[in-house]
Amino acid sequence: MSSLPLMTLVTLLVWGTLVGLDLVTVAQSMIARPFVAGTVSGILLGDPVAGLRVGVLFELFALDVLPVGAARYPDYGPATIAAVAVAAGSPWELSLGLSGTIGLLVAVLGGWSLQLLRRMNARAIQRRAAALAAGESSAIRLLQYGGVARDALRSALLTAVGLAAASLTATFLHLDRPTAVTLTVVLVSCGLAAALGGAIRSAGRGPRLVWLGAGLVLGLILAILR
């Protein structure tokens, strides 16, 4: 990641805010999926291929996440944007592992921020419990707008921290080729393992698991034949 123009940074920050909001708060139009977040980030940074690669890598990790209820999970959207910022403009075999590592750290931080956001929303509800019990529509609107504003701030800050981490990484951390390639292999392997684990848990036991196994075998055969 080289020094980026101010307008590009602002655009990435806005994009990261929208991606963070899309996860659970508003729309849920799937732009929070790493594949989408990474592809658009790559286009904004002038390296769409890097965005695609990073997006696919983080999609493997995200396939093991089901963001429902009070479940704890990383926020892979803004994290993918940070990872693309590290990988853009560099050979993928040297940058994918490092960018993935930075992105995973940001994703974990994002997961913590989601827990903090939930506690803040819960306190806001408690403060207006009487108005809610009385059925005041203004209290409901204030809670909704406040929740959106808090999540927007959370998403913007998380994206900003990710971009700052990407900039510091590019400036101060330089891995030799063998180490960078090894890190890439490790991250891709971890992503494949996470995706497989999530698929097996989702399939459960019975016919769905059988179909999953058949699909994996067929995919391996086609990959070998190619």
Side-chain angles (χ1 to χ4, degrees):
M1 176 184 177
S2 57
S3 179
L4 296 175
L6 178 60
M7 184 54 65
T8 301
L9 288 172
V10 171
T11 305
L12 287 172
L13 187 61
V14 172
W15 174 237
T17 303
L18 294 174
V19 165
L21 279 170
D22 186 70
L23 181 62
V24 291
T25 298
V26 294
Q28 294 188 334
S29 59
M30 303 303 285
I31 64 173
R33 297 304 307 183
F35 183 78
V36 180
T39 301
V40 174
S41 300
I43 293 172
L44 295 174
L45 289 164
D47 193 347
V49 176
L52 283 168
R53 288 197 179 103
V54 173
V56 169
L57 174 63
F58 276 82
E59 197 67 54
L60 293 174
F61 288 100
L63 287 173
D64 195 29
V65 173
L66 187 61
V68 295
R72 294 191 178 189
Y73 45 83
D75 189 350
Y76 286 112
T80 301
I81 296 172
V84 175
V86 176
S90 302
W92 72 269
E93 68 275 10
L94 302 181
S95 61
L96 191 58
L98 180 58
S99 64
T101 301
I102 299 301
L104 289 177
L105 293 175
V106 176
V108 172
L109 178 62
W112 173 83
S113 72
L114 287 170
Q115 295 300 310
L116 178 61
L117 176 66
R118 289 173 178 174
R119 289 194 289 268
M120 294 174 66
N121 288 338
R123 286 195 292 268
I125 293 172
Q126 291 172 357
R127 288 195 299 268
R128 294 179 173 84
L132 290 173
E136 295 182 11
S137 59
S138 60
I140 298 175
R141 286 195 298 270
L142 286 173
L143 284 172
Q144 290 177 330
Y145 297 153
V148 172
R150 283 186 288 272
D151 196 17
L153 178 60
R154 179 199 71 84
S155 302
L157 289 175
L158 182 61
T159 304
V161 168
L163 292 174
S167 178
L168 291 173
T169 299
T171 302
F172 298 107
L173 186 58
H174 301 284
L175 303 178
D176 58 84
R177 184 180 181 85
T179 302
V181 172
T182 300
L183 189 58
T184 294
V185 172
V186 169
L187 259 292
V188 172
S189 300
C190 289
L192 291 171
L196 180 60
I200 292 174
R201 279 193 293 274
S202 298
R205 298 180 180 179
R208 293 178 63 184
L209 186 60
V210 174
W211 280 110
L212 174 63
L216 289 174
V217 171
L218 179 60
L220 288 173
I221 292 174
L222 291 175
I224 293 173
L225 293 177
R226 290 186 62 184

